[in-house]
């Protein structure tokens, strides 16, 4: 009892204000999500009257039923899942290989090759020359254009290389003396020790691919190949949704549209929200390694 | 092992080369692993750099990059006299500087606040929530922002109306649009930005605080005289890094949040090059603007790096 009293005494007014402000800030960060969910789950009249704020009123799953009944949404979802899975796998393999090879301090030509990669952080061809190259190699309007031209990220490369460099050398040396090749060392010793960093990089790449909007805008022409973000944009800011729901509902179209839009937003964001808590403990470390420059 | 080659080779001049070759051969698997990445960088990063030459050419789609005729600095002369180009540069700087002025101090303040939290659980939960918006796409952010801020049917304007305040044109008047743009940016990145400061703050020597506490320093004094000086170099590095990016602006945010009503402030370099290059197929003009931007970027970067080193901090390159 005495101990708790003593502890309680230490809580000052300043601390209370601090906790309150942080709670408020966290609420501000969370509020838009709550607003989206509230809108997507509310009934017509509630949305129409503007009463919806951060909890659903007149609970209704109508918007989700409509959204999930659209084949376009499913097509785009499939496209995005494909790009995310294949892209992340390709990125992880390429980045790991490059980072491992260039983390060897004794590799001849290492400085030049690393410099060649780092230079692209500061200078690049820009939008149009890159566009012309993507077109030139035949990737235009293919799903490959959404992950092949972006497959290695310099920042992620630096993070991984730094991580590999900091692994205890003695382990690898021992394996090398026992006659293991570099590839064996990578697979049997380095990779098992690097799972946290690989998870982090996987998260960064996957979120990047999932959220890719601009590349899809540049390189994808055929609406059948629209990614989720592209589809989302045309639903949110284009006419697509207004027309279709007008056909379906007639009256109260505009209000239903708002619920529909928010349901679409929710559907396209949920996968990230599901993965996020599992990987959260890793990525802070990733950012910190990355901030120590290579 | 190598000494055998040495004695066998009669040609002294060739020796180092052979040794070098043997050494390179020993790493063949590592080079093989590197090969795809090097090919990737050459094809998707270095070939486009050569493509910049079209900024000095009268680009013709049918002739291609190589065969189009050179035209010297004609393209640059054309864009430099274009009012829209300078407008885009002005808007880029305006949005970047405003965002920096708000987000930079705010990020540090939030980091300091989080650092004061004693309860590990509370800290963890709030951090998770604060980092979350970083992972949300700009399309989604813009969609949410429209739902919240639109003039008719926007949640915020509904709220304002219900307490007797007129609707605010968050997305359709220039001044308010900048406000909304900065707000969305800060909302998205503030939590993420604290990670580096929090890492630096955990490195501050505890004994300094204890000593100051014993000497009767107040919490505020400890903050000013111990905490801030301890993370000063991180603050300076971050500031310089941010400043070196002042001419670069993502395309997603201004393109998705912007609309025809606020074009006067939302048209930035990236959206301008996009409209010019992709929508109007003026490849040379768009490339020239891109090159101009890259060169300015490098100049700022080098200057910032030099400045950082001059004041005794680590460089950023």
């Amino acid at each position: 009892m005495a101990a708790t009293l003593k502890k309680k005494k230490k809580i000052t007014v300043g601390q209370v204000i601090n906790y309150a402000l942080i709670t408020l800030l966290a609420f501000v960060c969370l509020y838009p999500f709550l607003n989206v969910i509230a809108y997507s789950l509310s009934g017509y009249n509630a949305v129409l009257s503007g009463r919806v704020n951060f909890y659903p009123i007149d609970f209704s799953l109508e918007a989700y039923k409509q959204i999930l009944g659209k084949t376009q949404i499913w097509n785009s979802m499939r496209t995005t899942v494909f790009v995310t899975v294949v892209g992340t796998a390709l990125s992880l393999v390429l980045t790991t290989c490059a980072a491992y090879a260039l983390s060897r301090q004794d590799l001849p030509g290492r400085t030049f090759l690393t410099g060649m990669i780092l230079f692209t952080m500061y200078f690049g061809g820009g939008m149009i020359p890159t566009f012309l190259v993507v077109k030139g190699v035949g990737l235009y309007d293919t799903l490959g254009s959404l992950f092949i031209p972006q497959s290695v990220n310099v920042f992620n490369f630096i993070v991984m290389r730094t991580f590999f460099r900091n692994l205890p050398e003695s382990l690898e040396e021992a394996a090398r003396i026992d006659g293991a090749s570099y590839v064996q060392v990578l697979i049997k010793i380095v990779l098992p020790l690097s799972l946290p960093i690989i998870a982090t990089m996987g998260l960064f790449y996957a979120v990047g691919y999932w959220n890719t909007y601009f590349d899809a805008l540049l390189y994808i022409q055929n609406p059948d190949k629209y990614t989720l973000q592209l589809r989302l944009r045309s639903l949110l800011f284009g006419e697509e949704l207004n027309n279709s729901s007008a056909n379906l509902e007639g009256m109260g179209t505009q209000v239903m549209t708002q619920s529909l839009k928010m349901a679409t937003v929710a559907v396209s964001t949920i996968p990230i929200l599901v993965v996020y808590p599992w990987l959260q403990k890793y990525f802070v470390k990733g950012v910190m390694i990355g901030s120590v420059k290579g | 092992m190598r000494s055998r080659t040495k004695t066998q080779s009669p040609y002294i001049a060739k020796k180092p080369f052979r040794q070098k070759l043997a050494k390179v051969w020993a790493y063949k698997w590592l080079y093989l692993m590197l090969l795809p990445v090097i090919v990737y960088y050459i094809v998707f990063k270095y070939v486009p750099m050569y493509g910049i030459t079209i900024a000095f050419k009268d680009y013709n789609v049918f002739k291609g990059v190589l065969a189009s005729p050179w035209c010297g600095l004609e393209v640059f002369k054309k864009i430099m006299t274009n009012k829209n180009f300078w407008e885009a540069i002005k808007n880029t700087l305006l949005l970047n500087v405003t965002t920096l002025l708000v987000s930079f101090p705010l990020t540090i303040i939030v980091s300091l606040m989080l650092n004061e939290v004693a309860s590990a659980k509370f800290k963890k939960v709030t951090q998770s929530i604060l980092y979350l918006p970083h992972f949300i796409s700009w399309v989604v952010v813009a969609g949410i922002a429209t739902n919240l801020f639109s003039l008719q049917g926007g949640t915020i304007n509904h709220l304002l109306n219900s307490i007797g305040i007129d609707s605010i044109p968050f997305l359709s008047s220039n001044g308010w649009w900048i406000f909304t743009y900065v707000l969305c940016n800060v909302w998205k990145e503030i939590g993420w930005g604290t990670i580096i400061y929090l890492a630096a703050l955990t490195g501050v020597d505890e004994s300094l605080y204890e000593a100051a506490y014993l000497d009767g320093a107040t919490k505020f004094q400890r903050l000013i005289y111990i905490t801030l000086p301890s993370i000063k170099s991180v603050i300076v590095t971050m500031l310089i890094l941010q400043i070196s990016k002042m001419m670069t602006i993502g395309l997603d945010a201004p393109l998705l949040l912007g609309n025809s009503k606020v074009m006067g402030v939302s048209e930035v370099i990236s959206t301008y090059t996009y409209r010019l290059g992709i929508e109007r197929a003026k490849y040379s003009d768009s490339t020239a603007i891109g090159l101009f931007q890259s060169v300015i970027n490098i100049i700022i970067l080098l200057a910032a790096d030099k400045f950082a080193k001059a004041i005794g901090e680590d460089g950023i390159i």
Side-chain angles (χ1 to χ4, degrees):
Chain A
M1 203 59 202
T4 36
L5 273 179
K6 210 176 167 191
K7 235 183 177 176
K8 278 213 169 127
K9 240 183 172 177
K10 275 172 116 181
I11 296 174
T12 59
V13 182
Q15 259 172 325
V16 173
I17 295 174
N18 190 27
Y19 274 76
L21 282 176
I22 292 174
T23 311
L24 184 73
L25 192 68
F27 179 75
V28 169
C29 279
L30 217 48
Y31 172 74
F33 295 107
L34 298 175
N35 187 258
V36 167
I37 292 164
Y39 263 92
S40 68
L41 289 172
S42 289
Y44 279 164
N45 296 327
V47 174
L48 186 66
S49 64
R51 279 183 291 145
V52 180
N53 204 341
F54 49 84
Y55 51 88
I57 295 174
D58 300 343
F59 185 83
S60 151
L61 285 172
E62 193 50 41
Y64 285 95
K65 272 185 200 150
Q66 282 199 31
I67 280 300
L68 296 177
K70 281 177 182 289
T71 43
Q72 295 168 326
I73 295 282
W74 287 107
N75 276 342
S76 300
M77 187 70 102
R78 254 199 304 279
T79 304
T80 298
V81 168
F82 173 80
V83 169
T84 305
V85 171
V86 178
T88 306
L90 177 73
S91 292
L92 282 179
V93 170
L94 289 182
T95 313
T96 308
C97 286
Y100 176 69
L102 292 173
S103 74
R104 308 288 83 201
Q105 305 284 10
D106 45 356
L107 184 78
R110 175 181 53 92
T111 321
F112 171 76
L113 293 170
T114 310
M116 182 184 151
I117 293 176
L118 295 188
F119 180 69
T120 62
M121 261 206 309
Y122 303 111
F123 192 76
M127 192 187 298
I128 297 300
T130 310
F131 177 80
L132 292 175
V133 168
V134 170
K135 230 175 177 171
V137 295
L139 284 172
Y140 186 70
D141 207 20
T142 67
L143 294 185
S145 69
L146 299 178
F147 57 88
I148 295 171
Q150 307 74 7
S151 53
V152 185
N153 174 298
V154 182
F155 174 82
N156 291 347
F157 160 78
I158 295 174
V159 172
M160 278 199 115
R161 195 190 51 151
T162 312
F163 185 89
F164 288 150
R165 247 188 215 170
N166 293 341
L167 288 177
E169 253 173 67
S170 51
L171 277 174
E172 293 169 47
E173 265 169 30
R176 291 284 297 154
I177 290 166
D178 287 347
S181 71
Y182 281 112
V183 182
Q184 283 171 322
V185 171
L186 174 64
I187 292 171
K188 296 214 171 114
I189 295 170
V190 174
L191 287 187
L193 288 172
S194 313
L195 289 180
I197 201 75
I198 291 172
T200 311
M201 295 299 106
L203 174 76
F204 289 168
Y205 277 125
V207 169
Y209 287 125
W210 188 271
N211 287 341
T212 294
Y213 162 70
F214 181 54
D215 289 315
L217 185 69
L218 271 185
Y219 302 133
I220 299 295
Q221 275 288 305
N222 184 347
D224 291 339
K225 291 177 187 161
Y226 270 18
T227 61
L228 208 50
Q229 303 299 332
L230 221 48
R231 178 73 60 200
L232 194 58
R233 187 187 87 128
S234 75
L235 290 175
L236 290 174
F237 304 108
E239 292 303 300
E240 232 173 288
L241 201 67
N242 288 325
N243 296 335
S244 62
S245 65
N247 296 335
L248 282 169
E249 304 298 331
M251 293 277 285
T253 317
Q254 213 205 318
V255 183
M256 197 54 220
T257 306
Q258 228 171 347
S259 291
L260 266 185
K261 283 178 176 177
M262 291 305 110
T264 323
V265 165
V267 167
S268 63
T269 313
I270 282 166
I272 291 179
L273 301 187
V274 171
V275 187
Y276 174 76
W278 303 100
L279 292 163
Q280 195 219 337
K281 62 176 173 190
Y282 296 130
F283 62 64
V284 171
K285 206 174 172 193
V287 175
M288 268 147 41
I289 298 174
S291 68
V292 182
K293 63 180 174 115
Chain B
M1 269 237 279
R2 299 271 175 273
S3 60
R4 202 161 41 144
T5 344
K6 209 175 188 177
T7 44
Q8 276 177 354
S9 168
Y11 305 105
I12 296 166
K14 275 192 179 170
K15 208 172 50 187
F17 179 71
R18 270 204 185 174
Q19 279 181 5
K20 234 181 190 172
L21 211 64
K23 200 174 169 222
V24 166
W25 185 245
Y27 291 99
K28 56 186 182 297
W29 293 109
L30 287 182
Y31 288 118
L32 203 65
M33 281 160 87
L34 265 173
L35 188 68
V37 179
I38 299 302
V39 170
Y40 163 80
Y41 273 98
I42 290 172
V43 173
F44 291 107
K45 303 287 168 185
Y46 284 89
V47 175
M49 282 184 213
Y50 178 76
I52 290 176
T53 50
I54 65 173
F56 305 96
K57 283 182 170 187
D58 185 11
Y59 183 71
N60 183 320
V61 193
F62 301 105
K63 287 182 184 158
V65 176
L66 291 170
S68 292
W70 293 94
C71 71
L73 293 172
E74 276 311 304
V75 182
F76 281 91
K77 273 182 201 151
K78 199 167 82 189
I79 58 167
M80 291 293 171
T81 51
N82 189 331
K83 194 175 94 262
N84 292 340
F85 168 71
W86 295 107
E87 192 84 338
I89 289 189
K90 194 199 82 194
N91 288 339
T92 304
L93 291 174
L94 177 70
L95 291 180
N96 276 342
V97 170
T98 322
T99 308
L100 180 71
L101 286 179
V102 177
S103 73
F104 193 75
L106 211 55
T107 309
I108 297 172
I109 292 169
V110 173
S111 312
L112 293 173
M113 280 164 60
L114 281 169
N115 193 47
E116 291 300 318
V117 171
S119 155
K121 204 164 188 185
F122 180 82
K123 197 170 173 180
K124 214 181 153 207
V125 171
T126 44
Q127 277 176 299
S128 309
I129 296 173
L130 289 176
Y131 298 157
L132 186 57
H134 173 78
F135 295 96
I136 305 302
S137 81
W138 268 110
V139 182
V140 167
V141 175
I144 298 176
T146 315
N147 200 47
L148 283 173
F149 295 118
S150 63
L151 204 53
Q152 270 148 17
T155 311
I156 301 294
N157 276 325
H158 260 304
L159 270 181
L160 291 175
N161 291 343
S162 69
I163 55 168
I165 300 174
D166 284 341
S167 293
I168 294 174
F170 287 107
L171 294 164
S172 47
S173 99
N174 285 355
W176 280 107
W177 187 84
I178 296 174
F179 169 83
T180 313
Y181 172 88
V182 173
L183 185 72
C184 289
N185 263 296
V186 170
W187 176 77
K188 201 169 181 300
E189 300 301 335
I190 188 157
W192 194 249
T194 61
I195 294 180
I196 283 173
Y197 293 112
L198 285 172
L201 284 167
T202 53
V204 179
D205 190 356
E206 280 292 323
S207 63
L208 288 173
Y209 286 119
E210 277 161 31
Y213 181 74
L214 291 177
D215 285 346
T218 63
K219 194 129 210 171
F220 187 70
Q221 284 171 324
R222 276 179 274 164
L223 187 73
I224 297 295
Y225 295 109
I226 300 173
T227 314
L228 284 180
S230 310
I231 59 166
K232 192 190 107 206
S233 66
V234 178
I235 295 178
V236 172
T237 309
M238 292 310 287
L239 184 64
I240 288 171
L241 260 178
Q242 308 262 359
I243 288 174
S244 68
K245 288 183 195 149
M246 276 298 107
M247 275 285 277
T248 313
I249 192 160
L251 180 132
D252 296 14
L255 191 69
L256 289 161
L257 284 172
N259 54 63
S260 52
K261 284 184 191 134
V262 290
M263 208 64 136
V265 284
S266 73
E267 186 76 315
V268 292
I269 299 177
S270 55
T271 54
Y272 185 57
T273 41
Y274 170 71
R275 277 186 242 274
L276 208 59
I278 303 295
E279 287 180 358
R280 290 165 55 196
K282 296 196 169 177
Y283 287 177
S284 292
D285 299 27
S286 185
T287 306
I289 296 173
L291 177 61
F292 178 81
Q293 188 188 14
S294 294
V295 170
I296 300 277
N297 267 338
I298 287 187
I299 293 171
I300 303 178
L301 185 80
L302 292 175
D305 183 63
K306 211 158 207 169
F307 177 75
K309 282 171 182 154
I311 60 167
E313 300 289 344
D314 284 338
I316 49 173
I317 300 176

